[in-house]
Amino acid sequence: MLSQNKAEIPETILAYVAGVFDGEGSVSVSKAPPNKSHGRKNPHFNLLVAITNCNAEMLLFAQKLFGGNFHARKNIRLGANHVCYAWQLNCWQAHRFLSAIYPYLIAKKRVAELGIQYQENIAIPWDRHKGLAVEEVAKRQWYHDEIKRYNAMD
């Protein structure tokens, strides 16, 4: 990884990545149902940012700067031999990325702001055996729904 520190990444690079994210990126709060076999009494919510594109080089560049996961997958809509790529970040890694590119965003500025707020406002740590307080589940659900609603308008 080249850098995790925004101060070490030139503004031109942050602006470039923000432009790519504005056009090809997404912000979501994923939600998984409670899993009692794993001791989870509440739904599990997770901040996720991703960029999907057919240009692997661009996404690998972003991965070198910010970390995260990179994978390839076939895009059936574009043909059986056509491969697309996805780069994803979760939780605090996603927060750091959104915070770094936030000043340069245009189209996804509001949804990035919601993602940043989500990660900063969720209550951690929590007791796995007791689960989350009802208010905490409601707060996470609100961010999940609000980001989903915002993305539907985009």
Side-chain angles (χ1 to χ4, degrees), residues 77-150:
R77 292 182 315 182
L78 298 176
N81 294 325
H82 197 84
V83 177
C84 284
Y85 306 93
W87 170 64
Q88 298 177 324
L89 298 165
N90 298 321
C91 304
W92 284 105
Q93 213 173 23
H95 176 275
R96 282 189 296 275
F97 170 71
L98 291 174
S99 296
I101 67 167
Y102 181 80
Y104 311 99
L105 291 171
I106 298 169
K108 294 199 167 62
K109 195 167 196 99
R110 175 62 182 143
V111 75
E113 182 179 7
L114 288 168
I116 291 166
Q117 288 173 359
Y118 169 81
Q119 194 64 40
E120 291 175 352
N121 290 319
I122 59 173
I124 298 175
W126 55 279
D127 186 331
R128 182 182 188 109
H129 301 291
K130 291 181 182 175
L132 296 170
V134 173
E135 299 83 13
E136 182 64 23
V137 173
K139 178 171 47 174
R140 293 176 186 210
Q141 183 68 51
W142 181 87
Y143 278 104
H144 171 271
D145 294 345
E146 188 67 10
I147 289 172
K148 191 173 182 178
R149 183 188 66 76
Y150 187 86

